[in-house]
């Protein structure tokens, strides 16, 4: 049996590894920012619309990456309000600062912050945004409890997670290929992963368990398109914190085999020289 001390040491190691992996892909996210944002914008627009922020509000974005979702909210809260853009990877936060300068966002603060233990006061924010991250957290129960704590009573939480693996081939194909080649084990049930909250029952369990109201869950679909095979491969190797370290560690021969198999598995989504993949998120609002 594992003792609580051992579990917390394992969690700490896993958290550190995750932070390092996200730090390594931060430049890739920044380099591909325009394409990623253009494709995924409807997901964020839904979140910000349902957050219903008012001028003067303080909005917290958790695990913000480049902060694009929070920057839409920044416009709504206006000069009298502010958004607090946070991420536990300092490299991501540095990229978000650059992004804010590019977009001319003036009412954003930036903080390195672990969503599982927030250095923020209780009831201190009016709304919380979190896109594509709760399911990656080592202890999501702690992250939801912390979100509830810092959000003022009645304040809204809007977040987005990925729907099932099969419905998100652009993200999941590479994992299947790496598994079939024995480069990674199959995902452990309940372990953090891109698809760990694809079940609305799990979303409800985490949200209601932390004291939130019954969440509203809505599917939001979009397309992830790549002009050619090379740009899809760059997306996998430069932005995926799970696949990229495994791919980079392979020998050139093994990497070529994986690459060929990924392109083979992606054949149904071929469009011109590249790909056009469906993508589906579960967007959630609660208070
Ligand atoms: C898939 S990216 C999403 C980035 C951004 N929210 C977006 O939608 O473009 C996941 C982000 O979660 C961050 N992250 C993961 N676990 C975290 C934690 N416990 N606390 C804060 N940030 C975390 C990573 O550093 C990374 O920037």
């Amino acid at each position: 049996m594992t003792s609580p001390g051992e579990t917390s040491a394992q969690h700490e190691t896993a958290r550190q590894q995750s932070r390092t992996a996200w730090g390594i892909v931060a430049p890739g996210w920044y380099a591909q920012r325009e394409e990623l944002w253009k494709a995924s914008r409807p997901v964020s627009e839904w979140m910000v619309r349902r957050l219903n922020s008012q001028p003067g509000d303080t909005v917290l974005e958790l695990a913000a990456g480049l902060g694009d979702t929070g920057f839409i909210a920044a416009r709504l809260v206006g000069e009298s309000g502010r958004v607090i853009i946070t991420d536990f990877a300092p490299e991501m936060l540095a990229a978000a600062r650059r992004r804010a300068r590019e977009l001319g966002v003036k009412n954003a603060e930036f903080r390195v912050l672990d969503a599982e233990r927030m250095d923020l006061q209780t009831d201190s924010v009016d709304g919380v945004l979190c896109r594509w991250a709760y399911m990656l957290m080592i202890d999501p129960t702690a992250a939801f409890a912390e979100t509830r704590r810092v959000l003022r009573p009645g304040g809204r939480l809007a977040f987005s997670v990925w729907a099932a693996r099969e419905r998100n081939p652009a993200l999941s194909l590479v994992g299947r290929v790496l598994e079939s080649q024995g480069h990674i084990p199959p995902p452990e049930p309940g372990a953090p992963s891109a698809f760990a909250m694809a079940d609305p029952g799990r979303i409800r369990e985490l949200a209601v368990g932390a004291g939130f109201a019954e969440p509203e869950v809505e599917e939001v679909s979009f397309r992830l398109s790549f002009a050619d095979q090379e740009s899809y491969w760059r997306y996998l190797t430069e932005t995926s914190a799970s696949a990229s370290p495994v791919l980079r560690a392979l020998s050139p021969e093994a990497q070529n085999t994986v690459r060929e198999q990924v392109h083979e598995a992606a054949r149904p989504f071929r469009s011109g020289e590249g790909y056009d993949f469906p993508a589906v998120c579960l967007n959630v609002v609660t208070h």
Side-chain angles (χ1 to χ4, degrees):
M1 251 197 42
T2 333
S3 71
E6 281 168 334
T7 308
S8 96
Q10 283 164 0
H11 278 188
E12 205 39 59
T13 306
R15 216 170 265 127
Q16 182 56 46
Q17 282 168 348
S18 172
R19 194 169 28 231
T20 303
W22 283 109
I24 290 170
V25 296
W29 277 70
Y30 186 74
Q32 300 189 30
R33 63 194 180 285
E34 298 296 351
E35 297 91 319
L36 288 173
W37 181 236
K38 204 170 138 205
S40 64
R41 202 181 169 126
V43 176
S44 298
E45 284 173 344
W46 186 104
M47 291 166 60
V48 174
R49 194 166 58 247
R50 299 306 305 273
L51 198 72
N52 196 27
S53 298
Q54 302 301 313
D57 277 359
T58 297
V59 172
L60 170 67
E61 185 176 15
L62 296 172
L66 301 191
D68 284 294
T69 307
F71 297 148
I72 322 184
R75 281 201 287 278
L76 297 179
V77 300
E79 280 175 17
S80 57
R82 63 183 178 139
V83 293
I84 312 172
I85 301 289
T86 68
D87 199 285
F88 75 169
E91 298 87 343
M92 277 292 187
L93 216 54
R97 278 203 182 87
R98 286 174 75 182
R99 185 79 175 136
R101 278 197 297 274
E102 274 169 21
L103 298 173
V105 177
K106 298 271 191 299
N107 54 347
E109 274 176 41
F110 298 86
R111 288 198 207 173
V112 173
L113 183 111
D114 186 338
E116 297 174 39
R117 41 198 174 185
M118 300 183 205
D119 184 13
L120 287 173
Q121 287 190 345
T122 300
D123 298 347
S124 59
V125 304
D126 301 296
V128 176
L129 294 165
C130 182
R131 192 179 79 156
W132 302 342
Y134 277 127
M135 68 283 181
L136 305 171
M137 294 182 191
I138 309 302
D139 185 352
T141 303
F144 276 95
E146 277 291 83
T147 306
R148 183 58 276 172
R149 181 183 68 75
V150 302
L151 187 57
R152 70 162 166 77
R156 290 192 191 179
L157 162 65
F159 66 96
S160 181
V161 294
W162 292 105
R165 251 182 155 195
E166 305 70 43
R167 304 181 71 192
N168 286 294
L171 280 83
S172 61
L173 286 178
V174 67
R176 291 216 190 277
V177 169
L178 289 169
E179 274 166 52
S180 72
Q181 296 278 302
H183 296 307
I184 55 168
E188 271 176 52
S193 85
F195 308 108
M197 284 178 67
D199 171 9
R202 177 70 177 142
I203 292 175
R204 184 183 180 281
E205 178 185 49
L206 284 165
V208 174
F212 283 102
E214 192 66 37
E216 278 180 55
V217 181
E218 193 173 309
E219 285 191 3
V220 178
S221 303
F222 64 102
R223 310 292 301 184
L224 267 172
S225 304
F226 300 91
D228 48 35
Q229 295 192 351
E230 179 57 33
S231 46
Y232 179 44
W233 189 248
R234 261 205 320 275
Y235 167 73
L236 296 175
T237 51
E238 294 178 8
T239 70
S240 166
S242 55
S244 150
V246 183
L247 293 170
R248 287 173 198 223
L250 295 178
S251 68
E253 297 76 33
Q255 213 188 90
N256 270 339
T257 308
V258 170
R259 187 176 171 146
E260 278 165 21
Q261 293 199 355
V262 165
H263 291 312
E264 187 51 39
R267 190 182 282 277
F269 309 103
R270 287 292 294 270
S271 166
E273 296 295 301
Y275 299 109
D276 180 34
F277 293 102
V280 186
C281 292
L282 299 181
N283 274 15
V284 185
V285 64
T286 186
H287 59 270

